[in-house]
Amino acid sequence: MVITMLKILHCGDLHLDSPFSGLSHDQSEARRQELRDTFTYMMNYAQTENIDLVLIAGDLFDCGFVYRDTLALLSARFSALACPVVISPGNHDPYTAGSLYAGGKLPENVHVFTAKEPSRIDFPALDVSVTGYAFTSDRYEENPLDMPCPLHPKHINILLGHADLGAPLSKYAPMPVKSLEMSGFAYAALGHVHNPPKAIRVGKTTAAYCGVAEGRGFDEPGFGGARLVNIERTDHGISVSTKRLVFSHRRYMIEQVEVDGAERDEDVAEKIGERVRLQGYGPETALRVILRGAVALTYPPNVTAIAERCRGELYLLEVQDMTVPVFDADYLREDKTIRGELYRALEEKLGSADERERKTAALALQYGLGALDGNLN
């Protein structure tokens, strides 16, 4: 017999009002608006899909500065929900005396944890209790589960927090897996890890990271989103299942493209174009292409020209040159002309143990020989 069924939207790491300082002013404004739109999509989903509880596992904001439009949006979207919202502040948006969380400007259905010590919020109508804590600065060096976390004796118990699971030396709420296993929570709704691993089961606890809501750089690849969590309690116990939902506008992707034997930018551009078409990248994708392989000695790829040629409908294209030149070292070493002099001047650095020094020397040799041969593009 089913006693309780819960639908939970577990989200976090939205980093609203991120600066996007690497983009132009117009692009930065557009990306900030897209983050707000992603938040709106999430809340619309919670409203239309009759979500019972929204859990936000920290870093709702990127910093203490919040635009007025963002605050108005949050108030409107939260107040439109028929369910409670529970927030556990993280290292980017800690609970402090001057924070938005302390300002009393959020709707009544929003509950925010305010202290490092875990506390519990009971929702009798839902048969659930949420235990959580708050970062009160940009660091939280204790294991939250080392402090008392009293469970409700009858409710489904959920842990909500920004944490570093399985990283005992972390400065961001280190949480050993063993302590979670012994905690007794049915579900641990975690934030902080932007590229989320699969949900895990430890003891009687299912634990999962929500992941970043929308990637903001190439260190956050793929589409972002949130987790739908279904919890069912029957006479036989509690079962938990999770599903990753996509809400983001953009995705950041990295591709390594082999360009062995390339002698012209056109050759490289063709290979990049093939990869873009194969992967189905379009306006939703910011793409970084890393060029690999051995290219003609007198051909240093012009990454700016290649990116301009290949961008097409992509939101952004960045090309990085990690190719190496093909040259006949024995021939150049014995060459009595200025070409040989150039090689001999660079030979020691070409064999350096420092990768950056080797790359710089190889580029110098490419450009120098290209200039001597009149083959620079």
Side-chain angles (χ1 to χ4, degrees):
M1 175 181 177
V2 176
I3 301 173
T4 305
M5 292 186 66
L6 285 173
K7 289 175 67 176
I8 298 171
L9 183 64
H10 167 201
C11 57
D13 292 302
L14 283 106
H15 291 272
L16 294 172
D17 293 340
S18 291
F20 292 104
S21 54
L23 301 177
S24 69
H25 176 269
D26 289 346
Q27 285 180 315
S28 298
E29 287 291 334
R31 291 295 287 128
R32 281 191 287 274
Q33 183 57 49
E34 287 175 348
L35 286 186
R36 297 184 193 108
D37 292 343
T38 296
F39 167 78
T40 298
Y41 291 164
M42 286 183 177
M43 296 305 105
N44 286 345
Y45 178 89
Q47 189 172 16
T48 59
E49 295 299 319
N50 298 314
I51 293 295
D52 298 303
L53 181 64
V54 173
L55 302 177
I56 301 179
D59 289 357
L60 176 59
F61 309 108
D62 190 62
C63 65
F65 174 78
V66 181
Y67 285 88
R68 185 179 302 172
D69 290 348
T70 303
L71 177 56
L73 174 67
L74 261 64
S75 296
R77 299 314 307 156
F78 284 151
S79 62
L81 297 177
C83 67
V85 177
V86 186
I87 302 174
S88 173
N91 59 297
H92 276 261
D93 60 348
Y95 186 94
T96 62
S99 67
L100 170 66
Y101 297 132
K105 296 181 180 180
L106 293 174
E108 291 184 359
N109 64 323
V110 178
H111 308 266
V112 181
F113 291 109
T114 63
K116 292 180 67 174
E117 296 75 23
S119 60
R120 194 182 77 213
I121 303 172
D122 298 329
F123 299 100
L126 296 175
D127 192 26
V128 69
S129 292
V130 180
T131 296
Y133 51 87
F135 275 66
T136 55
S137 70
D138 62 354
R139 298 291 177 92
Y140 189 130
E141 301 190 31
E142 300 85 3
N143 172 15
L145 297 181
D146 280 344
M147 293 175 261
C149 300
L151 303 183
H152 193 286
K154 296 182 179 180
H155 287 178
I156 296 169
N157 287 279
I158 294 174
L159 176 67
L160 174 64
H162 214 63
D164 222 340
L165 183 63
L169 300 181
S170 173
K171 297 185 183 298
Y172 305 103
M175 187 178 292
V177 174
K178 191 65 177 179
S179 65
L180 185 60
E181 181 181 354
M182 299 172 62
S183 67
F185 291 103
Y187 182 65
L190 305 177
H192 184 61
V193 174
H194 287 190
N195 303 314
K198 291 182 179 179
I200 62 170
R201 177 87 172 174
V202 288
K204 294 183 178 181
T205 304
T206 298
Y209 282 98
C210 55
V212 68
E214 175 144 356
R216 297 168 298 146
F218 291 106
D219 58 336
E220 298 170 350
F223 286 114
R227 282 191 186 270
L228 173 64
V229 184
N230 288 289
I231 302 180
E232 183 177 291
R233 180 156 74 172
T234 69
D235 293 334
H236 303 291
I238 298 174
S239 64
V240 180
S241 64
T242 76
K243 177 184 178 181
R244 180 81 171 149
L245 303 173
V246 171
F247 290 104
S248 63
H249 288 73
R250 308 287 182 194
R251 60 175 169 175
Y252 288 80
M253 299 298 292
I254 300 175
E255 294 281 349
Q256 304 214 24
V257 176
E258 295 290 335
V259 292
D260 280 323
E263 298 181 350
R264 303 176 305 157
D265 288 343
E266 290 84 349
D267 301 332
V268 175
E270 183 177 348
K271 289 182 178 292
I272 293 174
E274 289 174 358
R275 182 66 59 85
V276 168
R277 290 189 293 274
L278 178 65
Q279 299 292 5
Y281 295 140
E284 79 293 335
T285 302
L287 179 63
R288 172 183 286 169
V289 171
I290 300 174
L291 303 179
R292 300 281 187 182
V295 300
L297 178 60
T298 56
Y299 169 58
N302 185 332
V303 294
T304 302
I306 293 169
E308 185 65 27
R309 178 189 294 265
C310 296
R311 176 176 170 180
E313 294 185 353
L314 293 171
Y315 176 73
L316 174 71
L317 176 61
E318 174 185 298
V319 180
Q320 294 184 351
D321 178 22
M322 297 297 290
T323 60
V324 294
V326 178
F327 57 87
D328 187 336
D330 292 336
Y331 175 81
L332 288 172
R333 189 178 295 114
E334 300 302 322
D335 192 324
K336 303 303 182 183
T337 69
I338 193 170
R339 299 171 86 256
E341 288 293 335
L342 175 61
Y343 173 78
R344 289 186 288 274
L346 294 169
E347 185 172 15
E348 183 177 349
K349 290 183 172 60
L350 288 167
S352 171
D354 186 313
E355 181 179 356
R356 179 176 293 182
E357 188 172 45
R358 288 199 311 274
K359 180 67 176 176
T360 302
L363 284 173
L365 184 61
Q366 279 182 304
Y367 280 112
L369 293 178
L372 290 171
D373 292 343
N375 290 328
L376 280 182
N377 54 333

